[in-house]
Amino acid sequence: MTPLADRFGRVATDLRVSLTDRCNLRCEYCMPAEGLDWLPTEDVLSDDEVVRLVTIGVERLGIREVRFTGGEPLVRRGLVGIVARTHALGVETSLTTNGLGLARTAAALADAGLDRVNVSIDSIRPETFAAVTRRDRLRDVVEGLAAAQDAGLGPVKLNAVLLRGVNDGQAPELLRWAIEHGYQLRFIEQMPLDAQHGWSRAEMVTADEIQRLLEKEFVLEPAEEPRGSAPAELFTVDGGPATVGIIASVSRPFCGDCDRVRLTADGQVRNCLFAREESDLRAAMRSGASDEELAQRWVTAMAGKRAGHGIDDPTFLQPDRPMSAIGG
């Protein structure tokens, strides 16, 4: 087995697999109201191609955890089968989703071997949720969360992005609601991955601000558990056992501990969320490359990983692909 190591000593064991660039929400920090030009169907990896590359990652390159993302992975028709075949490889499997359709699929995903889910939810107020996502679908998300919990896909984790003047004042109520329902909430700094390239550091709600907003109503203390390569800084809430996470992707990057590698829906390896270069496995695979040749291409792609994402560098350029096309 050859590890996916870079020149800074980091080894990737966590694979994020985007199954589609399509999404049924239009979150304002991700894409325009009219949506995007989706990938042509023929460019997207087939179910068998996804499983083949995941298998190479697990059996030849040391991948130990696989998370399926999008776009919105629940719109991928072959999702349950892909999860089952990945689970059979003996790795931990998880899913990042907006929760639409989760009420219908949670039980099947659990039966297929999915271990847990992360669900995006930026507000529990219907009018705010609709304003952020441009869809009046909060009820569907709430029902999906309950179904995931009932199916044993826990701990169910929630991801929230705060937007200045939109939902930043709602952070405490979102945390209170999450605790009441037994979900684990994590706030994530807004990152420069929107399709419109309208991100502004000055407008971003920082991790320090998020903490101050929460401390208006809760007592937060650093959790004792080690952070390791996990991105969230964990805090106990009012003495515990409940916790809340804050992910300071921009203001306090954790690049030095990164153990992730990404595979896009069209078969491109990305060694960093903010990488501007990709390595094409799809073309090689469809041209008849062997598993060993594909593995070597993957190893080479990881070797060129930069020390950090470079957002603070004056020369930083936002990736051409938005988050919906890269995968979370």
Side-chain angles (χ1 to χ4, degrees):
M1 184 175 292
T2 304
L4 287 172
D6 64 33
R7 54 197 168 131
F8 301 99
R10 296 167 299 192
V11 177
T13 58
D14 182 339
L15 173 61
R16 306 297 171 97
V17 181
S18 174
L19 296 176
T20 178
D21 62 329
R22 299 173 184 266
C23 188
N24 41 17
L25 293 182
R26 297 290 182 271
C27 297
E28 65 172 85
Y29 54 80
C30 186
M31 66 176 70
E34 64 273 18
L36 299 168
D37 293 329
W38 310 125
L39 288 167
T41 301
E42 61 271 17
D43 288 354
V44 176
L45 296 178
S46 69
D47 294 2
D48 287 343
E49 288 173 332
V50 170
V51 174
R52 181 184 175 190
L53 291 179
V54 169
T55 301
I56 291 171
V58 172
E59 295 183 348
R60 294 174 179 265
L61 303 173
I63 294 297
R64 297 198 298 266
E65 178 179 354
V66 178
R67 178 179 297 186
F68 296 107
T69 69
E72 174 44 52
L74 290 179
V75 306
R76 174 84 183 222
R77 291 188 178 183
L79 173 62
V80 173
I82 291 172
V83 168
R85 294 166 70 183
T86 300
H87 171 73
L89 298 173
V91 292
E92 180 180 337
T93 57
S94 58
L95 181 77
T96 294
T97 172
N98 63 28
L100 300 187
L102 191 55
R104 298 190 305 272
T105 56
L109 288 168
D111 290 343
L114 190 71
D115 292 298
R116 58 183 177 83
V117 293
N118 288 45
V119 180
S120 299
I121 180 169
D122 302 317
S123 175
I124 55 166
R125 298 184 190 180
E127 65 278 8
T128 305
F129 182 92
V132 173
T133 66
R134 302 187 178 100
R135 298 289 188 272
D136 186 13
R137 303 293 299 275
L138 177 60
R139 181 176 178 179
D140 296 308
V141 176
V142 172
E143 290 176 353
L145 286 167
Q149 194 170 58
D150 291 343
L153 295 174
V156 175
K157 295 184 178 181
L158 310 183
N159 297 333
V161 175
L162 296 183
L163 303 177
R164 195 175 303 282
V166 178
N167 64 340
D168 50 335
Q170 301 174 28
E173 72 182 61
L174 183 56
L175 176 55
R176 185 171 291 105
W177 182 85
I179 292 173
E180 289 173 354
H181 288 80
Y183 306 136
Q184 295 184 5
L185 177 61
R186 303 183 304 175
F187 291 97
I188 306 174
E189 287 181 338
Q190 182 187 1
M191 293 180 283
L193 289 168
D194 58 307
Q196 310 91 302
H197 287 210
W199 178 86
S200 165
R201 187 182 183 109
E203 289 299 310
M204 180 191 75
V205 181
T206 68
D208 288 341
E209 289 180 273
I210 295 169
Q211 185 172 345
R212 288 195 295 269
L213 287 167
L214 296 175
E215 287 178 334
K216 291 179 179 179
E217 298 188 28
F218 302 97
V219 175
L220 302 186
E221 296 289 342
E224 293 183 358
E225 57 185 282
R227 179 176 171 183
S229 61
E233 297 178 60
L234 284 180
F235 300 87
T236 57
V237 181
D238 291 341
T243 61
V244 64
I246 301 177
I247 301 179
S249 306
V250 176
S251 62
R252 292 194 292 275
F254 37 88
C255 302
D257 295 318
C258 182
D259 63 353
R260 298 177 182 177
V261 60
R262 289 172 167 80
L263 181 66
T264 66
D266 56 347
Q268 311 299 307
V269 169
R270 296 180 64 89
N271 58 29
C272 173
L273 186 59
F274 295 93
R276 294 187 60 81
E277 305 84 22
E278 299 176 334
S279 181
D280 189 354
L281 297 187
R282 183 195 65 201
M285 178 166 53
R286 292 181 179 178
S287 296
S290 67
D291 286 359
E292 180 58 36
E293 289 169 333
L294 292 172
Q296 187 54 54
R297 283 175 174 264
W298 205 330
V299 169
T300 301
M302 284 304 298
K305 184 171 182 173
R306 297 181 180 180
H309 56 46
I311 294 177
D312 285 330
D313 192 307
T315 63
F316 173 77
L317 293 175
Q318 185 172 331
D320 292 330
R321 293 212 207 203
M323 176 67 92
S324 61
I326 294 172

